Amino acid sequence: MQLAKIPPGKDEIQNFIDYLKNQIKKSGVKVELKKRVSSKILEEIEPDAVIIATGAKPFIPKIPNIGNKNVVMALEALKGDVEVKGKICIVGGGQVGAETAEFLAKQKRGEVTLIEMTSEIATGMPNTSRQLLLFSLKDNGVSILTKKIVEKVTESGVVVSNEMGKEELIEADMIIFATGSKPDKELAQAVKDKVSEVYLIGDCLEPRKMIDAISEGMEIASSI
């Protein structure tokens, strides 16, 4: 939610974050920050049940030179971990990629190009929200390239191919990958045989939407 609130029009998510923080405080839940949980710590605590909510990690496709210094992940760009400016190429036209493109374009970071391998971008969003996003991308000068497959990364940009296999270079100073995410089950695997009750909720079970994580958290908490 801390990241989801960053793109334009998403600032109201902060209200829900504040609500959750307040409810945790009122409920007397003990909160420990800046502490990495390990199987060893759980052995010391000896919990009766563990709820794993470790979220998801960015999915990094196997593309030549994806480790180049001019490549960052969408979440890094949104958080401001790296300075993004100049000619910007975003690979992946799902909701995250499209909203990242809108965010950077509105901030006048530079020329923004969004590349998607299918024929449409931002699919899976509610229709009204999607249409508003598409209008905003157009109004803010984002160049959208569909039916393009990224073949490799270079120091000058990304090489893409079309349906006929013809390749071209899309010049870029910064390349941002928004190619989805995968469950972070590392902790779950480490503790599954050490605690009698282990539950997975949210994106560490399967990357989905905020409402799914909230629903699963309520359901599991109510059943224990």
Side-chain angles (χ1 to χ4, degrees):
M1 286 188 284
Q2 296 287 359
L3 291 172
K5 72 179 184 182
I6 296 175
K10 296 293 192 73
D11 54 303
E12 287 190 3
I13 291 176
Q14 182 63 49
N15 295 334
F16 188 54
I17 295 173
D18 294 339
Y19 165 79
L20 290 176
K21 287 182 176 179
N22 189 49
Q23 290 302 106
I24 287 173
K25 186 177 180 180
K26 288 170 61 176
S27 301
V29 175
K30 182 181 178 182
V31 178
E32 294 191 30
L33 302 176
K34 296 183 179 180
K35 189 171 184 178
R36 183 176 294 277
V37 177
S38 65
S39 57
K40 183 179 180 180
I41 289 178
L42 292 180
E43 287 175 4
E44 295 172 357
I45 298 174
E46 295 184 337
D48 297 310
V50 174
I51 300 174
I52 307 290
T54 45
K57 297 178 179 179
F59 173 75
I60 303 175
K62 294 181 179 180
I63 294 174
N65 304 321
I66 197 170
N68 279 12
K69 61 181 181 180
N70 59 342
V71 175
V72 298
M73 298 297 114
L75 301 186
E76 295 176 296
L78 287 173
K79 286 191 294 182
D81 290 346
V82 292
E83 184 179 13
V84 179
K85 62 181 182 179
K87 290 184 177 181
I88 304 164
C89 183
I90 299 175
V91 179
Q95 182 174 351
V96 173
E99 288 184 342
T100 301
E102 181 191 28
F103 171 71
L104 296 173
K106 279 197 167 186
Q107 289 200 338
K108 308 298 182 183
R109 298 287 188 90
E111 300 175 21
V112 182
T113 300
L114 182 62
I115 299 175
E116 167 58 30
M117 65 186 299
T118 66
S119 59
E120 296 183 317
I121 67 165
T123 57
M125 295 179 65
N127 188 57
T128 301
S129 299
R130 180 174 182 268
Q131 290 303 318
L132 289 172
L133 177 56
L134 294 178
F135 287 138
S136 180
L137 292 172
K138 182 178 180 181
D139 290 343
N140 286 281
V142 175
S143 177
I144 299 174
L145 305 177
T146 57
K147 297 183 180 180
K148 302 286 188 182
I149 297 176
V150 174
E151 300 292 346
K152 63 180 178 180
V153 171
T154 73
E155 293 182 358
S156 303
V158 291
V159 176
V160 301
S161 62
N162 62 16
E163 294 175 296
M164 303 301 292
K166 183 179 179 180
E167 295 186 351
E168 65 175 312
L169 173 67
I170 308 299
E171 293 185 359
D173 301 307
M174 297 290 295
I175 303 156
I176 300 172
F177 274 82
T179 45
S181 52
K182 59 181 180 179
D184 184 354
K185 296 188 178 183
E186 185 177 344
L187 181 60
Q189 293 294 331
V191 305
K192 65 178 182 179
D193 298 323
K194 299 180 180 180
V195 181
S196 58
E197 293 184 55
V198 178
Y199 305 95
L200 278 68
I201 63 172
D203 281 5
C204 74
L205 182 62
E206 181 184 355
R208 288 153 298 149
K209 297 185 179 298
M210 197 184 304
I211 188 66
D212 298 304
I214 295 168
S215 176
E216 288 164 2
M218 174 64 73
E219 182 179 342
I220 294 301
S222 299
S223 68
I224 294 178

